[in-house]
Structures are given as C-alpha cells and as structure tokens.
Amino acid sequence: MLRASVLRLFSQPIRQTVYLRECLDTSAFPNTLKLYSTQTAVKEQPGTTVSEKEAEETRIGKRRPLENAPFIRELFLGRFAKEMLVYPEMTKEELEHLNQMVQPIEKFFNEGLDSKSIDVNAKIPDEVLQSLKDLGLFGQQIPEEYGGLGLNATEFARLAEITALDGSIAVTLAAHQSIGLKGILIAGTAQQKAKYLPKLATGEHVAAFCLTEPSSGSDAASIQTRATLSEDGKTFLLNGGKIWISNGGIADIFTVFAKTKVTVDGVEKDKVTAFIVEREFGGITSGKPEDKLGIRGSNTCEVHFDNTPVPLENVIGEVGGGFKVAMNILNSGRFSMGSSGAGILKKLIGMTCEHAVSRKQFGSPLAEFGLIQEKFAQMTITTYAMESMAYLTAGVIDLYEKPDVSLEAAIVKVFSSEGCWSCVNECLQILGGLGYMKDYPYERYLRDGRILMIFEGTNEILRLFVALEGMKYAGKELKDAVKIARNPWKNPGVAWKMYKKAVSRQFSSKKRNSENAVSVHQPYNSKLKLHQSLHNTLQYEALLLEGCTEAFQKVVEHLLITHGKEIISAQMDLAKVSNIVIDLYGMTACLSRSNRSYCLGLQNADHEIMLTKAFCKDATKRINTNLKEIYSGPVENNSENYEHIAQAVFKHGGYAASHPLERMW
Amino acid sequence: MSGFRILVGCKRVIDYAVKVRVKPDKTGVVTEGVKHSMNPFDEIAVEEAVRMKEKKLASEIIAVSCGPQQCQETLRTALAMGVDRAIHVITEPKEYESMQPIHVSKILSKIATEEKADLVIVGKQAIDDDCNQTGQMTASLLDWPQATFASKIEKSNGDLSVMREIDGGLETIKVKVPAVLTSDLRLNEPRYATLPNIMKAKKKPLVTKKPSDYGVDITPRQEIVSVEDPPVRQAGQKVESVEELVTKLKEAGLV
Ligand SMILES: Cc1cc2nc3c(=O)[nH]c(=O)nc-3n(C[C@H](O)[C@H](O)[C@H](O)COP(=O)(O)OP(=O)(O)OC[C@H]3O[C@@H](n4cnc5c(N)ncnc54)[C@H](O)[C@@H]3O)c2cc1C
Ligand SMILES: Cc1cc2nc3c(=O)[nH]c(=O)nc-3n(C[C@H](O)[C@H](O)[C@H](O)COP(=O)(O)OP(=O)(O)OC[C@H]3O[C@@H](n4cnc5c(N)ncnc54)[C@H](O)[C@@H]3O)c2cc1C
C-alpha cells in the first residue's frame, strides 16, 4: 500500500519529500531514512534555519574522525556496523558540479579517441596525452591549492568509470596519480608538495611508482635496490633495477622504494625507504617498452638507477618507514577499480544487449533464449554489486577523517577484477564469432582487463591479506577463548564446554548441517536487527545477511581454534574465508544502495531491489558452500588431495600421469 | 575601443546523440531523464566569442539561457568554456514548452541593450525545433545589421567581415557593429570545457532573472496540436536488371 504511493509519487521531488516526512512522522520507516530526507526537506523551506543548520552539520559531519571500528574487521567478530546500511550520498550541488565535469570527459572518450589504434600501435599518441592533461585528468586528487582538481574519492571514482573505457589510458592515469604521486600526496612534507605537485597536477611532469624488481613481486619487502647515505649525510646514492614500471619510460618523477641501513636499538638493520626521484638527478635509464597482452598503449618498462644522487629531503615519510608508505599508497588507490570495472561493463552490456535483441538464430532473437538471459542477469547483478561496493567504499573514505578501508578496498579490487574478467568473457560469448574478431572491442577489453587480477596486489595476495588481517583482528579479542580451546588443561571447565560444542559440530553430520549452515531468524528473534535499518521489502534479505554474518563469525572462531597460529599457512581455508567476506560486503552494499534508491523512488528502483534480492540469494548459496567446505575439513573438501597432486606435479617437473595410450605389455 | 562586449545565446536541448521519443499523449517529446546539453550551434557561438576574447577583440562575454532551472548547467558549461558571466532567464517547465523564438528574441534584445552589447552571437538554429529565427528576429528588434550562417568572422577596421555559407557557395559581407551574428557548423570546432576551468566556473557570476524583468510576456500564441514520429521507412527491394527496375516503377505508377 505504501509502496503504491511511492510509485505514484516518485517522479515528483516535492511530493516525495512529503512522503518521506509522513513516513518519519508515523515511524513507519527506520530512522536511517532521516538522513535522506533532511536535505530534501530543507531545500523546500529556506526559512527554517534550524533544520538548515542541522543539515549543514550532517554534511560537514563528513569531516569527523572515524569513531567506529572498521566494518570488515568487525565482521570477523560478528559485529555489524549498521551505519553501512545508510548508503552515502552527495548534496544536490555537489552532484550537479560532478555531472558537469563528467560531460567533457565522456565526450572526449566517446568521440576523441581511437582505442583500437592505441592497442595496435601500442602507444597513446602525444596529442591524446596532451588533451588528457589539458582536460585536467592528471591532477584529479591533488588539492586545488596545488593546481589540481581536489576531487574526493567519490568524485574520483565517478570519473574513473569513464577513463576506464580505454585500458591503456586508465593505467597511464592510475600509475601517475593513484600510485606514482600518491606518496607525496599522503605522506609528503609541505615543501615536497609545494615543489612537486603543481607540475604533476598539470601533467607537465608525469609520475611512476617503482617497487617491483626481478626477484621481488608480491613479496615487496624483499627488494634489493639500495640507497646508501653519503658521508656528509646529505645525499643518498640509489642503485638497482626495477621492472614492469608503468610510465617508466615517460615519467619525470619516480616514487622509488629501496633498502637503507637503519639503526634500531643499536642494531643495524636493512629497512625499506621511499624516495622522490627526479629523472633530472641523473643515472636513470629506462628499458624499451614491454610488448604486452593488454593495456598495450600503457608504457611499461624497466627502470635502472646507477648511483643516482637523491637529496635527504626527498625521503617520503621516515627513513626506514617506506614499506608502510608503499602499503598505504596501494591501499588508498584500489577502491576505484570497482567503478572502473562497472564503467566498462555498463558500456559492454549496452552494446551486447543491442546485439542480442537484433541477432536472430533459430527464428528468434538471442534475447529470447534462457541461456542468454541468464548471462545478462549474471552480468547485471555482478555489475550492480561492483558499483555498489565501490561507491560505498568511496563514500566511507569521504565521510571520515581517517577512514580504515584497507580490507574493503582489497575486497572491491578482487571482486571487480574477477567480475570484469568473467563478464567481459560472457559478453564475448554472446556475440559468438563476432566477439572474437578485432573489429569489435570485446577481445581488447578481455585482454586489457586481465591485468587487473595481477597488479596492485595479486588477487591471491589480497585474499590472504583480507582473511589474515581480519583473523588477526578477531584473534586479539578472542585470544583467551582460543588459548583455552587450544590448551584445555589450563581451564578444564570452559574447555570441556567448547570441546563438546566443537565435537558435536565435527561429528554429527545432521547437526553440522543445521548448526553450521546459514540460519535465517524470524524478525523477533534477530539479534542484529539489520531489518530495522532497511525497508520492509528487503526484510528477508536483511535476515539472510544477519544469518550469514553470524555463521561467518562462528567459522572464524572455528578456524582460529583448529589452526591457531598455523592459520597463516592454511591458505585454502583463508581463501574461503575471504570469499565469504567478499559476499558479505557485496550483500551489505547492494542492500544499502537499493534501500536508498527504493525509499527515494529513483527511476527503476524496483529493478535495483530485484538485483539485490538475486545477489543476496546467490551470495548466501556461495557462503553456505564455503562454510560446508571449511567445516568438512581438508580430507572431505579435497584440499589435502590438491596439495598432494600439486606436490606430485612439482616432483615430476610437470604433468605426471601416463599418456592414455600407454601400455604395460 | 577596448574590445566588443559580446552576448551569446545558449539553449539547452536534448543531446544530439539521444534517440528522441514522442510522449504517448503526442503533446511533445520525452524530456524527463533524458540527457541534455548545449545546442551545438550555440557551442560554436560561445567558442567564437571566446576566441575573439583570446585575440583581444572582445572585452567581455555574457551568456544567456532562457528556460527551466536546469539551464544553469548549460550556462556553467559556457562559463567553463571561457564566458565571463551568465544570465539565466528562468521559466516554468510548462511555460518553456510553448516558448517561441519571438519570446527569446525579445529577451535577448532587451539584455543586449541593457548590457550595452556590441555583438550578439547565437547559433543559426537549435537542433530541437530547427526554427532558425532567433538571430534574425533579434536583429530586427534591435534594428541592427545581421550576418547569418557565419563560417568565418574577421575584424576589418571597426567593422566585421563575415563569410557566410549560402546555397552553392560562400559570400563575404561587411557589417557595422553593433550587429547580430549567427554561427554555422564550420565556423570553428568548439573546445572541451576542461576540468580546471569547470572548477573556476563555479565561482563566476550567474544571475537569475524572469521574463517579466525584461517586460516580456511569454503567454503562448501557438498551440501544439500533435507531435508524431516520422513515418517508419519501408524496406527497399533489390532488382537484378534495368528492365526489372523499369517494370517495377511502371507497376507502381511512377513512370
Ligand atoms: C602491466 C604491468 C604493470 C605493472 N606496473 C607496475 C608499476 O607501475 N610499479 C610496480 O612497482 N610494479 C608494477 N607491476 C608489477 C606488479 O605489481 C607485479 O607483477 C605483481 O605485484 C606480482 O608480482 P610478480 O609478477 O613478481 O608475481 P609473483 O609475486 O612471482 O607471483 C606469482 C604468482 O604467485 C602468487 N603468489 C605469490 N606469493 C604468494 C603467496 N605467499 N601465497 C600464495 N600465492 C602467492 C601470486 O598471486 C601470483 O599468482 C606491473 C606489472 C604488470 C604486468
Ligand atoms: C576463429 C573462427 C574460426 C571459424 N572457422 C569456421 C570454419 O572453418 N567453418 C565454418 O563454417 N565456421 C567457422 N566459424 C564460425 C563458428 O562456427 C561460429 O562462430 C559458431 O558456430 C557460432 O556462430 P555465430 O558466431 O554466428 O554465433 P550465434 O549463432 O549468433 O550465437 C551467439 C550466441 O548465442 C548463443 N545461441 C545461439 N542460439 C542459441 C539457442 N538456440 N539457445 C541458446 N543460446 C543460443 C550461442 O551459444 C552464442 O553464445 C569460425 C569462427 C571463428 C571465430
């Protein structure tokens, strides 16, 4: 009934405000709705200074320090920060301004670009690079006082949707500002910022990020490049070689990571330090551009440093504090891969859709075949979840003074890189033979998108990172419980109870299924009461999310008890933990976003609700499978077999089975 | 003289790339939720004015847009392209549906007088209604000379020499300033509004006025009877030979 009134009203903003107010007055809706209504309500009555002030405070409230513990880490303890169910939003003015910026970039990317020739010639033409610089795209997050655009994370994410449409350009831009100059931005001194940022903002100077070396990829702490302090203590001499450096051949400014000798408590140690290095300093050579599978127009090459003098004042952060700088840089950039991926997929879904409705086989358009419909649905759900997670994460970054979203950003990166890969693959499949041809952009997007799972932290490393960081967080709080469980003789009473519980979980298969699978409460016996933060229409999904959260917390405890410190090497379990938490974040983001859309009556909000319901259903199925596998242990879930099979392959130096035609006699 | 004061018109229209749909009740086309942008010919007019300013031929550029609230977005684009300030003459969306070139011309001519403009540059036509009237009417109301369909504008002495696109060729005329110019497609290629300039444009002045502030009555004098889709083109046929073609044409009673 209420729903019907929304439908009738949703094209009229003024009435909609009235609708929201009514809901608030009758308390028919949860209090979170207030956040959406305040601003609209204020717009209507310019006289009401009091509520105006309130709204302003809510708005400025985005600069308060983070009060809550980080969302994903908290999930490991079964705690759910309900403010995540209030999807972040911009003010009307901010949005209009952002849309204004979107226009020329969209125009440029739709009309001024020949991505095919960039791919074929493996080079972005100089005029194109110049246009990108003139548009202002090289200084997106640099503050206005240094000549940049001063975009916040949400605005940056929005523009990334468009710049992602050409993979080579996207990576060139990302290498410059998401990693190349980010160190100066987040850890630089005032002098460093004043000296370097203005020219980087206009693109007069291009930046690169130099971490990877031949013997050091994922294991970034093992780098060999060395910086030795001169005798007068004023200059470091940099020596070593970096590989696969994006913009390595075109950059003027490099953020370089090198080992330096540091004395800690009287003991000399090698520690990583970050430096700002100008090509002008001398002793720098770049190799020839690598010939790559995708993002072929992005310049990737070796960079060598031969006694390059770097003044002491060019250290970023502290001497010996470089590893943390590197991790902070990487953590701060990853979230935008979600909007980039969504930007690509939204475009391809549109193009593929046109093909599916016009191409006929067996007398019908492809669009009428169930298997094709399934593909479109899956791609749309994935894109929706990707976009929802990306903007939720960006919103949190913008909302708090010192947000900790390192796990959230890693989740967005893993989900979106894999989502991109599988969805582009499906688009290509729907096109049939056409998709395989270079006259169409699908194969290029497939090749370009492949890098996303490798760089900025491989997806394996990031899965381990998310699971281990979360476990560590939970482990601290659960330390005592875990200790007792692992060493029962110290506290036999408590231990016996836990043991009984664990045994019953392990051995009674009936019970295992009921106790360890996700169970859905009724609203009245729900503990987290997530449904109270959401519209009634999402009540079931809210209860699903609660059930999944509870089951997740149990499995975390189970793993800590079974593995203890050895959890670090239980990689196959850790990946499952990560997969669960990725789905939990996806559910949260979809629920939060579609709830907002539905309550405000955005166009096609019904469709969003359906996407959310579908995502939650699929996610719960996946979570249940992961839970089952973890509880069933390495024998039943096959991980022990996997280990043995791999070991046999390594032992035999490759595929070890006999040829099927082989005979014994 | 320190350079011209130029007034440019910026109409907000449905974006040229959008597939226009007729409303079910046939009173007009669907505009809600549809991408809009600056009329491309007006973009050319703005670009020309900005180039004149860059060549120090112009001292100030003022952009005007008549229509609903969202026209301010169009004006912000003009400001980002290099216009100095903007005037938004606001109308109710309903009123705007029946607004005609004559209304806009009256408003433009009033503003031109008030602002002591030397030049008015508008697009030769808008891509939504294709009227091709506003420039001419404005010139008439101001009693200024006009140079329509301009594809090249140059200063010669105190006056302007304007190359016009006409049927079958180009014509160059001289006009005395003040004058009204309308831009044709080949006059120039408008620049992209860059992001730094969009940031700066946020701080440029934009004032809002009503038609009545200029004493202009925009009561409709026309009624839209029906808006319809163009007829769908019938599929063609292929013929094997000239004989067959002639036979078919005869059958259809065309020869
Ligand atoms: C096109 C391109 C551009 C790049 N740009 C830059 C740049 O600008 N700056 C820069 O510094 N670097 C850059 N890199 C390097 C990139 O960051 C590394 O390739 C990446 O970190 C992976 O390192 P690696 O290639 O050495 O792989 P390895 O670390 O050797 O990993 C190989 C495989 O083993 C897995 N693996 C590694 N360790 C573990 C573990 N402990 N447990 C389980 N699995 C593990 C990985 O996930 C991967 O699947 C770029 C690379 C490419 C291809
Ligand atoms: C590199 C290459 C080499 C080739 N070599 C040859 C060759 O030597 N000789 C030759 O004859 N052909 C050749 N082909 C053509 C190839 O066999 C076709 O591309 C293939 O049969 C698919 O047809 P299609 O591309 O027209 O896709 P479509 O038939 O248009 O199919 C498009 C998509 O719709 C799906 N689809 C179609 N019908 C249905 C349905 N009823 N229900 C559900 N889904 C459906 C398809 O699975 C596909 O995903 C080649 C193609 C390529 C790319």
Short mmCIF file of all heavy atoms in Angstrom, two decimals, chain A residues 99-129:
data_model
loop_
_atom_site.label_atom_id
_atom_site.label_comp_id
_atom_site.label_asym_id
_atom_site.label_seq_id
_atom_site.Cartn_x
_atom_site.Cartn_y
_atom_site.Cartn_z
N ASN A 99 28.47 16.19 -12.33
CA ASN A 99 27.93 15.88 -13.66
C ASN A 99 28.49 16.81 -14.72
O ASN A 99 28.69 16.42 -15.87
CB ASN A 99 26.40 15.95 -13.64
CG ASN A 99 25.81 14.76 -12.93
OD1 ASN A 99 26.46 13.72 -12.81
ND2 ASN A 99 24.59 14.89 -12.43
N GLN A 100 28.72 18.03 -14.29
CA GLN A 100 29.32 19.00 -15.21
C GLN A 100 30.71 18.52 -15.66
O GLN A 100 31.08 18.66 -16.82
CB GLN A 100 29.48 20.32 -14.44
CG GLN A 100 29.82 21.47 -15.32
CD GLN A 100 28.60 22.34 -15.54
OE1 GLN A 100 27.85 22.60 -14.61
NE2 GLN A 100 28.39 22.75 -16.76
N MET A 101 31.44 17.96 -14.72
CA MET A 101 32.79 17.50 -15.06
C MET A 101 32.74 16.25 -15.93
O MET A 101 33.62 16.02 -16.75
CB MET A 101 33.60 17.23 -13.79
CG MET A 101 33.90 18.48 -13.03
SD MET A 101 35.20 18.21 -11.83
CE MET A 101 34.27 17.63 -10.47
N VAL A 102 31.71 15.46 -15.69
CA VAL A 102 31.59 14.20 -16.43
C VAL A 102 31.42 14.46 -17.93
O VAL A 102 31.98 13.76 -18.77
CB VAL A 102 30.38 13.40 -15.88
CG1 VAL A 102 29.95 12.33 -16.86
CG2 VAL A 102 30.75 12.78 -14.53
N GLN A 103 30.68 15.52 -18.25
CA GLN A 103 30.33 15.77 -19.65
C GLN A 103 31.50 15.84 -20.63
O GLN A 103 31.54 15.07 -21.59
CB GLN A 103 29.48 17.02 -19.76
CG GLN A 103 28.02 16.74 -19.48
CD GLN A 103 27.18 17.99 -19.56
OE1 GLN A 103 27.56 18.96 -20.20
NE2 GLN A 103 26.05 17.98 -18.89
N PRO A 104 32.46 16.76 -20.40
CA PRO A 104 33.54 16.85 -21.39
C PRO A 104 34.38 15.58 -21.47
O PRO A 104 34.87 15.22 -22.54
CB PRO A 104 34.38 18.03 -20.91
CG PRO A 104 34.00 18.25 -19.50
CD PRO A 104 32.60 17.77 -19.34
N ILE A 105 34.49 14.87 -20.34
CA ILE A 105 35.32 13.66 -20.35
C ILE A 105 34.60 12.58 -21.15
O ILE A 105 35.20 11.89 -21.97
CB ILE A 105 35.59 13.16 -18.92
CG1 ILE A 105 36.16 14.30 -18.09
CG2 ILE A 105 36.58 12.02 -18.92
CD1 ILE A 105 36.33 13.96 -16.66
N GLU A 106 33.29 12.47 -20.93
CA GLU A 106 32.52 11.50 -21.68
C GLU A 106 32.63 11.80 -23.17
O GLU A 106 32.84 10.91 -23.99
CB GLU A 106 31.05 11.54 -21.25
CG GLU A 106 30.63 10.26 -20.59
CD GLU A 106 29.26 10.34 -19.96
OE1 GLU A 106 28.49 11.30 -20.20
OE2 GLU A 106 28.96 9.41 -19.19
N LYS A 107 32.51 13.05 -23.49
CA LYS A 107 32.57 13.45 -24.89
C LYS A 107 33.94 13.06 -25.47
O LYS A 107 34.03 12.50 -26.55
CB LYS A 107 32.36 14.95 -24.97
CG LYS A 107 31.88 15.41 -26.31
CD LYS A 107 31.32 16.80 -26.19
CE LYS A 107 31.21 17.42 -27.58
NZ LYS A 107 30.80 18.81 -27.52
N PHE A 108 34.97 13.36 -24.72
CA PHE A 108 36.31 13.06 -25.22
C PHE A 108 36.50 11.55 -25.40
O PHE A 108 37.02 11.11 -26.42
CB PHE A 108 37.36 13.61 -24.26
CG PHE A 108 38.76 13.37 -24.74
CD1 PHE A 108 39.32 14.18 -25.70
CD2 PHE A 108 39.50 12.30 -24.25
CE1 PHE A 108 40.60 13.96 -26.17
CE2 PHE A 108 40.79 12.06 -24.71
CZ PHE A 108 41.34 12.89 -25.68
N PHE A 109 36.05 10.78 -24.44
CA PHE A 109 36.27 9.33 -24.53
C PHE A 109 35.36 8.68 -25.57
O PHE A 109 35.70 7.65 -26.11
CB PHE A 109 36.11 8.66 -23.16
CG PHE A 109 37.39 8.71 -22.37
CD1 PHE A 109 37.77 9.86 -21.70
CD2 PHE A 109 38.26 7.63 -22.35
CE1 PHE A 109 38.98 9.94 -21.02
CE2 PHE A 109 39.47 7.69 -21.66
CZ PHE A 109 39.81 8.84 -20.99
N ASN A 110 34.21 9.30 -25.84
CA ASN A 110 33.33 8.71 -26.85
C ASN A 110 33.67 9.17 -28.26
O ASN A 110 33.37 8.50 -29.22
CB ASN A 110 31.88 9.03 -26.53
CG ASN A 110 31.39 8.27 -25.31
OD1 ASN A 110 31.90 7.19 -25.01
ND2 ASN A 110 30.46 8.84 -24.58
N GLU A 111 34.28 10.35 -28.37
CA GLU A 111 34.47 10.90 -29.72
C GLU A 111 35.93 11.14 -30.09
O GLU A 111 36.30 11.04 -31.25
CB GLU A 111 33.72 12.24 -29.84
CG GLU A 111 32.23 12.07 -29.75
CD GLU A 111 31.52 13.41 -29.53
OE1 GLU A 111 32.15 14.46 -29.73
OE2 GLU A 111 30.35 13.38 -29.14
N GLY A 112 36.73 11.49 -29.10
CA GLY A 112 38.07 11.95 -29.46
C GLY A 112 39.12 10.85 -29.42
O GLY A 112 40.31 11.13 -29.46
N LEU A 113 38.69 9.59 -29.32
CA LEU A 113 39.65 8.53 -29.07
C LEU A 113 39.55 7.39 -30.06
O LEU A 113 38.45 6.98 -30.43
CB LEU A 113 39.36 7.92 -27.69
CG LEU A 113 40.16 8.42 -26.52
CD1 LEU A 113 39.89 7.50 -25.35
CD2 LEU A 113 41.63 8.48 -26.81
N ASP A 114 40.69 6.84 -30.43
CA ASP A 114 40.69 5.65 -31.27
C ASP A 114 41.42 4.56 -30.48
O ASP A 114 42.62 4.36 -30.63
CB ASP A 114 41.39 5.96 -32.59
CG ASP A 114 41.38 4.76 -33.54
OD1 ASP A 114 40.93 3.68 -33.11
OD2 ASP A 114 41.83 4.92 -34.68
N SER A 115 40.67 3.89 -29.61
CA SER A 115 41.29 2.90 -28.72
C SER A 115 41.88 1.74 -29.50
O SER A 115 42.86 1.13 -29.07
CB SER A 115 40.26 2.38 -27.72
OG SER A 115 39.90 3.41 -26.85
N LYS A 116 41.28 1.45 -30.64
CA LYS A 116 41.80 0.34 -31.43
C LYS A 116 43.22 0.65 -31.89
O LYS A 116 44.12 -0.19 -31.79
CB LYS A 116 40.89 0.07 -32.62
CG LYS A 116 41.33 -1.13 -33.38
CD LYS A 116 40.40 -1.57 -34.47
CE LYS A 116 41.02 -2.80 -35.10
NZ LYS A 116 40.77 -2.92 -36.50
N SER A 117 43.44 1.86 -32.36
CA SER A 117 44.78 2.16 -32.86
C SER A 117 45.78 2.29 -31.71
O SER A 117 46.95 1.97 -31.86
CB SER A 117 44.77 3.39 -33.77
OG SER A 117 44.80 4.56 -33.00
N ILE A 118 45.30 2.73 -30.56
CA ILE A 118 46.20 2.76 -29.40
C ILE A 118 46.67 1.33 -29.10
O ILE A 118 47.84 1.08 -28.81
CB ILE A 118 45.50 3.38 -28.17
CG1 ILE A 118 45.25 4.87 -28.40
CG2 ILE A 118 46.32 3.16 -26.89
CD1 ILE A 118 44.54 5.58 -27.26
N ASP A 119 45.74 0.39 -29.20
CA ASP A 119 46.07 -1.01 -28.93
C ASP A 119 47.02 -1.56 -30.01
O ASP A 119 48.05 -2.16 -29.69
CB ASP A 119 44.76 -1.82 -28.92
CG ASP A 119 44.98 -3.30 -28.67
OD1 ASP A 119 45.62 -3.64 -27.66
OD2 ASP A 119 44.52 -4.11 -29.49
N VAL A 120 46.69 -1.31 -31.27
CA VAL A 120 47.50 -1.85 -32.37
C VAL A 120 48.92 -1.24 -32.36
O VAL A 120 49.91 -1.95 -32.48
CB VAL A 120 46.82 -1.59 -33.73
CG1 VAL A 120 47.74 -1.95 -34.88
CG2 VAL A 120 45.52 -2.37 -33.81
N ASN A 121 48.98 0.07 -32.20
CA ASN A 121 50.30 0.73 -32.25
C ASN A 121 51.03 0.69 -30.92
O ASN A 121 52.17 1.15 -30.82
CB ASN A 121 50.14 2.19 -32.68
CG ASN A 121 49.47 2.30 -34.03
OD1 ASN A 121 49.69 1.46 -34.91
ND2 ASN A 121 48.63 3.30 -34.20
N ALA A 122 50.37 0.18 -29.88
CA ALA A 122 50.96 0.10 -28.55
C ALA A 122 51.52 1.44 -28.11
O ALA A 122 52.58 1.54 -27.50
CB ALA A 122 52.05 -0.98 -28.50
N LYS A 123 50.75 2.49 -28.41
CA LYS A 123 51.19 3.81 -27.96
C LYS A 123 49.99 4.75 -27.92
O LYS A 123 49.14 4.74 -28.82
CB LYS A 123 52.23 4.37 -28.93
CG LYS A 123 52.83 5.67 -28.44
CD LYS A 123 54.05 6.07 -29.27
CE LYS A 123 54.48 7.51 -29.10
NZ LYS A 123 54.44 8.10 -27.80
N ILE A 124 49.95 5.57 -26.86
CA ILE A 124 48.94 6.63 -26.80
C ILE A 124 49.55 7.83 -27.52
O ILE A 124 50.63 8.29 -27.13
CB ILE A 124 48.62 7.01 -25.34
CG1 ILE A 124 48.17 5.77 -24.55
CG2 ILE A 124 47.55 8.09 -25.29
CD1 ILE A 124 48.06 6.01 -23.06
N PRO A 125 48.93 8.32 -28.58
CA PRO A 125 49.52 9.44 -29.31
C PRO A 125 49.77 10.64 -28.38
O PRO A 125 48.99 10.87 -27.44
CB PRO A 125 48.46 9.79 -30.36
CG PRO A 125 47.60 8.58 -30.48
CD PRO A 125 47.64 7.89 -29.16
N ASP A 126 50.82 11.39 -28.68
CA ASP A 126 51.16 12.53 -27.84
C ASP A 126 50.02 13.55 -27.73
O ASP A 126 49.80 14.12 -26.66
CB ASP A 126 52.42 13.22 -28.38
CG ASP A 126 53.64 12.33 -28.23
OD1 ASP A 126 53.60 11.43 -27.35
OD2 ASP A 126 54.62 12.51 -28.98
N GLU A 127 49.31 13.74 -28.85
CA GLU A 127 48.21 14.74 -28.81
C GLU A 127 47.14 14.27 -27.82
O GLU A 127 46.53 15.07 -27.13
CB GLU A 127 47.51 14.93 -30.16
CG GLU A 127 48.38 15.01 -31.38
CD GLU A 127 48.73 13.63 -31.90
OE1 GLU A 127 47.88 12.94 -32.50
OE2 GLU A 127 49.89 13.22 -31.66
N VAL A 128 46.91 12.96 -27.79
CA VAL A 128 45.88 12.45 -26.88
C VAL A 128 46.32 12.68 -25.43
O VAL A 128 45.55 13.16 -24.60
CB VAL A 128 45.61 10.95 -27.14
CG1 VAL A 128 44.70 10.37 -26.07
CG2 VAL A 128 45.00 10.76 -28.52
N LEU A 129 47.58 12.36 -25.15
CA LEU A 129 48.09 12.58 -23.79
C LEU A 129 47.95 14.06 -23.43
O LEU A 129 47.54 14.40 -22.32
CB LEU A 129 49.55 12.17 -23.70
CG LEU A 129 49.84 10.71 -23.35
CD1 LEU A 129 51.34 10.49 -23.24
CD2 LEU A 129 49.16 10.31 -22.04
#
